[in-house]
């Protein structure tokens, strides 16, 4: 579509007309986030096909004073990957190449726009796992997962995205390229740019390629669903399983309210362990069949007598459905406020117990759904029945979590959703240091303004003579 925007013509010269979108019907998919809570108009969408094209696009946007929102799969849940009003959306979707798996180092380099599912299938064929998994795997991109330091279902064994990162390549706000793809396990040569960019939510640079650490695939797995009478029992059972050395990969927790929502949306029958106030879904994997090891580890524990166990693919997927389909079931019930927080094991149950009253005080008619990754302390607080811009519950929940020594951001990032409350968890000194890093790497505030830190617009630095 012809456009009067000179920037569109300029960028089309870099990426080709077919990768430059200005038609409002085509922009729509890039303008609203997965939750439908956050949306804004894009000036245009540009889809570069290489690191060099990203760098040239960024340089030309900077010259035109156009701010840029990097976007991967647009599965983010804190409004950080969609425009707030008039930004250029830079989609990484075309940079999705997969290099051959390096079986000697156990690493692989992939394009930032590759989906997690594509990378998982690629490395699985060579006998490896990326050690990271989440329900948005078919759409979420590796670049987005680096930008948010994504967590997911296997953090208790493999860590978050930061732990899986062996290196990356990124374009900075001035269009320069930093490339740390060497994959060395040791490197003490100064500031860790890879670690810094991980979790920076597109505010410091645009990730174009990623080098991932892999782990050997283990052949045998088992899934166990437990019914428990309280959150304390879930925490206690997991602590004892860890103490007994159970070969756990995942320990997911959800309450009866989540089961009711999933059953209402999907038509699933009651869970085979029966419906209980709390549930613990465990995945174990090992070189040798872990069924007996799990049975021994569960012996005599709370919930052990209700256990539903599956070690075949269909049976395991059927148990996982009660957990994996929670997010879609919430979305079908309305536009949620999503607050992903994390707590230490010794504070987890007390915080969870406090949340219903906190939410009811701020919004008596709201519906609260609680679930999360107990293995790493994440609670996904979902609240339905609120206007998208009514933030009283958000603030009350985040204050409650901080009062229980937890973090206001576990794995989805801060985005725009939680930016007003970052000060609850990060000190003035830390916020000043973060602002100084932003000012050093992006002095004109071109990358993802308003995400994570308050937006700043400074005049671009004078060009070198
Ligand atoms: P986007 O949504 O496109 O962007 C997210 C952020 O990263 C934005 O700030 C964006 O500007 C920035 N960004 C994107 N790509 C780049 C890049 N190449 N360079 C620089 N910045 C970039 N998250 C978890 O952590 N654990 C889960 O278990 C989990 N489960 C989910 C389940 C469902 C059903 C859904 C819908 C989401 C889930 N998420 C989960 C959230 C989401 O999938 C992650 O945050 C994921 O990392 C986002 O990837 P994306 O490619 O979709 O990024
Ligand atoms: C999950 O763990 C995701 O399924 C999404 O992080 C959480 O829907 C949510 O709040
Ligand atoms: Zn999660």
């Amino acid at each position: 579509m012809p456009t009067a925007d000179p920037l569109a013509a300029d960028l089309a010269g870099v990426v080709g007309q077919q990768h430059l979108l200005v038609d409002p019907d085509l922009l729509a998919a890039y303008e609203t986030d997965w939750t439908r809570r956050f949306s804004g108009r894009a000036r245009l969408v540009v889809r570069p096909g290489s690191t060099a094209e990203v760098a040239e696009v960024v340089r030309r946007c900077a010259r035109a004073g156009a701010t840029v929102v990097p976007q991967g799969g647009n599965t983010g849940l804190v409004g950080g990957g969609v425009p707030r009003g008039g930004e250029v959306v830079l989609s990484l979707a075309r940079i999705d190449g997969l290099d051959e798996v390096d079986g000697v180092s156990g690493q692989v380099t992939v394009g930032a726009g590759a989906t997690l599912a594509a990378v998982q299938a690629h490395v699985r064929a060579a006998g490896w796992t990326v050690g990271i998994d989440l329900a948005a795997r078919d759409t979420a991109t590796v670049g987005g997962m680096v930008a948010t330091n994504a967590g997911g279902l296997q953090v208790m064994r493999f860590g978050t995205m930061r732990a899986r990162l062996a290196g990356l390549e990124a374009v900075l706000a001035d269009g320069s390229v930093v490339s740390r793809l060497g994959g060395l396990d040791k490197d003490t040569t100064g500031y860790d740019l890879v670690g810094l960019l991980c979790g920076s939510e597109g505010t410091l640079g645009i990730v174009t390629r990623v080098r991932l650490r892999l782990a050997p695939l283990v052949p045998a797995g088992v899934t166990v669903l437990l019914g428990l009478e309280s959150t304390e029992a879930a925490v206690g059972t997991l602590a004892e399983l860890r103490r007994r050395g159970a070969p756990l990969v995942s320990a997911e927790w959800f309450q009866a309210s989540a089961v009711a929502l999933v059953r209402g949306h999907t038509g699933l029958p009651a869970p085979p362990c029966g419906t209980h106030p709390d549930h613990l879904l465990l995945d174990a994997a090992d070189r040798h069949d872990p069924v007996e090891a799990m049975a021994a580890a569960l012996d005599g524990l709370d919930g052990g007598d209700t256990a539903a166990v599956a070690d075949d693919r269909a049976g395991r997927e059927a148990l996982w459905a009660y957990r994996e389909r929670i997010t879609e079931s919430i979305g079908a019930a309305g536009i949620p406020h999503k607050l992903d927080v994390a707590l230490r094991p010794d504070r987890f149950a007390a915080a969870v117990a406090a949340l219903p009253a906190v939410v009811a005080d701020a919004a008596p008619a709201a519906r609260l759904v609680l679930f999360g990754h107990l293995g790493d302390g994440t609670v996904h607080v979902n609240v339905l029945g609120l206007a998208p811009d009514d933030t009283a519950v958000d603030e009350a929940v985040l204050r409650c979590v901080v009062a229980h020594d937890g973090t206001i951001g576990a794995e989805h990032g801060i985005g725009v959703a939680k930016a007003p409350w970052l000060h609850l968890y990060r000190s003035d000194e830390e916020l000043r240091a973060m602002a100084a890093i932003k000012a050093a790497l992006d002095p004109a505030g071109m990358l993802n303004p308003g995400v994570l830190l308050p937006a700043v617009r400074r005049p671009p630095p004078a060009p070198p003579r």
Side-chain angles (χ1 to χ4, degrees):
M1 173 186 265
T3 168
D5 186 346
L7 181 62
D10 194 24
L11 298 184
V14 179
V15 299
Q17 192 66 54
Q18 69 275 36
H19 299 304
L20 193 289
L21 312 180
V22 290
D23 179 340
D25 288 345
L26 296 177
L27 296 189
Y30 299 84
E31 293 179 322
T32 298
D33 85 327
W34 198 90
T35 67
R36 292 165 287 141
R37 184 178 169 201
F38 301 100
S39 63
R41 299 292 297 277
R43 178 165 172 180
L44 53 84
V45 173
V46 58
R47 295 160 41 98
S50 66
T51 301
E53 285 187 8
V54 173
E56 190 54 31
V57 165
V58 167
R59 274 194 288 272
R60 293 184 188 211
C61 286
R63 216 181 294 145
T67 49
V68 174
V69 176
Q71 190 179 97
N74 197 13
T75 65
L77 301 174
V78 289
V82 290
R84 273 65 69 188
E87 295 92 344
V88 167
V89 172
L90 191 156
S91 166
L92 279 300
R94 289 179 59 223
I95 306 180
D96 62 353
L98 308 173
D99 286 6
E100 198 178 323
V101 172
D102 174 351
V104 178
S105 62
Q107 297 181 0
V108 68
T109 299
V110 302
T115 63
L116 174 60
V119 178
Q120 285 175 332
H122 179 62
V123 306
R124 196 181 300 122
W128 300 89
T129 170
V130 282
I132 198 149
D133 194 22
L134 37 88
R137 58 184 78 79
D138 290 329
T139 317
T141 65
V142 171
M145 293 174 61
V146 171
T148 56
N149 186 21
L153 306 167
Q154 303 186 343
V155 169
M156 66 184 297
R157 182 175 287 190
F158 297 109
T160 65
M161 198 63 180
R162 184 170 282 126
R164 311 311 308 155
L165 256 187
L168 57 71
E169 178 177 87
V171 174
L172 303 182
D174 63 358
S176 58
V177 177
V178 288
S179 193
R180 307 287 313 157
L181 291 169
L184 292 173
D185 280 330
K186 281 188 173 169
D187 178 13
T188 51
T189 55
Y191 302 142
D192 177 13
L193 296 177
V194 175
L196 181 62
L197 283 161
C198 182
S200 66
E201 301 187 51
T203 63
L204 298 181
I206 300 177
V207 179
T208 52
R209 295 213 294 155
V210 178
R211 190 158 177 92
L212 293 167
R213 292 180 202 289
L214 307 175
L217 262 186
V218 292
V222 63
T223 301
V224 180
L225 181 60
L226 306 178
L228 292 144
E229 296 317 305
S230 68
T231 309
E232 285 91 338
V235 172
T237 293
L238 178 58
E240 186 57 19
L241 285 170
R242 282 178 140 147
R243 204 187 62 77
R244 294 181 183 184
L248 292 172
V249 179
S250 304
E252 299 291 309
W253 161 83
F254 46 91
Q255 292 196 312
S257 57
V259 176
L261 200 67
V262 169
R263 291 190 60 201
H265 174 60
T266 62
L268 284 177
C273 62
T275 301
H276 297 257
D278 289 62
H279 293 270
L280 197 49
L281 180 74
L282 305 166
D283 234 29
D286 216 339
R287 293 218 158 274
H288 309 289
D289 188 351
V291 172
E292 277 185 23
M294 280 302 287
L298 281 162
D299 188 39
L301 295 188
D302 274 346
D305 52 343
T306 69
V309 181
D311 62 357
D312 62 301
R313 189 178 171 152
R316 295 178 74 188
E317 282 176 6
L319 294 181
W320 266 98
Y322 292 100
R323 167 62 181 87
E324 282 223 317
R325 300 197 66 182
I326 297 174
T327 296
E328 92 183 55
S329 303
I330 291 170
I335 298 179
H337 286 226
K338 287 186 178 291
L339 301 156
D340 74 302
V341 301
L343 293 138
R344 289 199 317 258
D346 61 328
R347 305 289 271 148
F348 192 95
V352 164
L355 285 170
V358 166
V359 171
D361 270 358
R367 180 174 180 186
L368 174 65
V369 185
L370 295 172
F371 63 103
H373 316 286
L374 184 57
D376 59 41
T378 301
V379 183
H380 289 309
V381 180
N382 276 256
V383 188
L384 285 159
L386 304 173
D389 58 355
D390 174 358
T391 57
V393 165
D394 303 48
E395 174 157 353
V397 166
L398 298 180
R399 285 190 183 279
C400 170
V401 168
V402 171
H404 286 84
D405 303 322
T407 172
I408 68 164
E411 58 175 10
H412 298 160
I414 295 296
V416 295
K418 288 188 250 171
W421 299 288
L422 189 56
H423 66 92
L424 294 179
Y425 190 66
R426 303 302 295 257
S427 67
D428 288 349
E429 292 78 4
E430 287 175 313
L431 291 174
R432 276 200 298 275
M434 285 164 72
I437 292 168
K438 172 73 175 171
L441 289 183
D442 182 13
M446 304 307 294
L447 294 181
N448 236 358
V451 166
L452 183 56
L453 299 170
V456 282
R457 287 310 305 271
R458 301 188 188 86
R465 293 178 184 215

